[in-house]
Amino acid sequence: MTASNPSRDAFSHGLGGPPPRGADLEGHLGNAAQLLNRIAGQLGSRLALVSPDGTRRPPPPALVLVAHGSRDPRALATVRTLMERVRELRPHLPVHLGHIELNEPLLGDTLASLAGRQDTVLVPLLLGRGYHVRRDIPETAAAVPGLNARVAGPLGPHPLLVETLYARLVEAGWRTRMSDAARRASAVVLASAGSRAPDSAADTRRTAQLLAERLGVPVVPAYASAAAPTVPAAMRSLAARGRHRIAVASYFTAPGRFATQCAEQAPWICARPLGDHPAMARLVLHRYDQAVAAPESTPERTLIPA
């Protein structure tokens, strides 16, 4: 009588056939890992709502990602992928999406579906304190009856944005190591949408400063509209200073008209928009947590500062 093989018996009786071999085994193990991750996520979601004494905690405020919207179909796909990354990092957190314009669901419709059901934190997928952040989004939230909502600060400026910009530049061909001569000839234009709001321009300049410190070369903010300098003007200014090796860092959360326009003006490499980089998902949750932790009495109940 031969001794049984426990692993063979487990496969034979538990999966209805002989044990898999080679690639088949890898496929079975991959499926099992996915199942275990799903079970762990669901269990974690339930445990997160239970206090140590066994009482049930109130559900966390829903997170609403507020995207601008674009006619470029890549923008919606990018935002949806970012939303899935946020959900993966915080499985118990309800995450929704709303657009200011051009795409569905529109922000007002998303908020109306949550009114009276759950507290809500709106996290703008915007990079500075422009008009949309200071006026449009708070006013849209205030117009929804029965909605208890906070608006978090914009994503920028923040070191996680700088790390994302750096990673995108490296993907595009920026060398992490270069000679002194190459560094003296190099520079970056931080291409942004632009805003007439002084606070928004200050936020972009701060990001440019942080990126310059990270790269060790000059970084000049430039704009596609509503502000100066333009991207070509910034390039001419850098070239006049002997900086002829100029990269464009795309300071946009998703592809769109302005991002494409700036990329077409790049004389050398142009990085992709920030998009669904993993650091962006962490930054979204950081802004959400800041808003949740802010005191109820704060005057910034409609705009939690960066």
Side-chain angles (χ1 to χ4, degrees), residues 31-85:
N31 292 336
Q34 292 177 6
L35 178 60
L36 289 172
N37 287 338
R38 190 178 304 118
I39 293 172
Q42 293 172 351
L43 181 60
S45 298
R46 295 182 181 181
L47 291 175
L49 299 179
V50 179
S51 300
D53 60 3
T55 59
R56 188 171 181 80
R57 295 171 175 162
L63 190 163
V64 176
L65 295 172
V66 185
H68 183 279
S70 172
R71 292 184 177 87
D72 189 324
R74 296 173 298 169
L76 181 56
T78 298
V79 171
R80 284 177 171 166
T81 302
L82 176 60
M83 182 168 62
E84 291 306 313
R85 289 192 183 277

Side-chain angles (χ1 to χ4, degrees), residues 44-219:
S45 298
R46 295 182 181 181
L47 291 175
L49 299 179
V50 179
S51 300
D53 60 3
T55 59
R56 188 171 181 80
R57 295 171 175 162
L63 190 163
V64 176
L65 295 172
V66 185
H68 183 279
S70 172
R71 292 184 177 87
D72 189 324
R74 296 173 298 169
L76 181 56
T78 298
V79 171
R80 284 177 171 166
T81 302
L82 176 60
M83 182 168 62
E84 291 306 313
R85 289 192 183 277
V86 172
R87 286 172 171 163
E88 290 170 2
L89 290 175
R90 197 81 58 92
H92 66 280
L93 182 63
V95 183
H96 306 270
L97 175 63
H99 293 89
I100 297 171
E101 59 182 1
L102 299 176
N103 292 118
E104 294 183 350
L106 291 173
L107 178 58
D109 295 336
T110 297
L111 298 181
S113 71
L114 296 169
R117 294 175 42 212
Q118 193 169 17
D119 291 351
T120 304
V121 173
L122 285 66
V123 178
L125 297 181
L126 302 170
L127 303 172
R129 293 167 292 171
Y131 184 84
H132 289 310
V133 170
R134 302 203 71 88
R135 295 291 299 277
D136 279 350
I137 297 173
E139 288 177 1
T140 299
V144 178
L147 180 71
N148 185 24
R150 296 186 180 199
V151 180
L155 298 183
H158 194 276
L160 285 171
L161 282 181
V162 175
E163 286 306 307
T164 306
L165 288 165
Y166 178 82
R168 293 298 193 218
L169 283 168
V170 172
E171 289 173 0
W174 182 268
R175 292 187 177 181
T176 56
R177 295 182 180 179
M178 61 180 71
S179 66
D180 290 342
R183 191 172 299 280
R184 287 193 297 270
S186 300
V188 171
V189 170
L190 182 66
S192 177
S195 170
R196 293 183 179 87
D199 285 343
S200 179
D203 291 340
T204 304
R205 287 195 300 271
R206 177 57 178 159
T207 297
Q209 177 186 352
L210 292 172
L211 183 59
E213 294 171 359
R214 182 72 172 83
L215 294 172
V217 302
V219 177

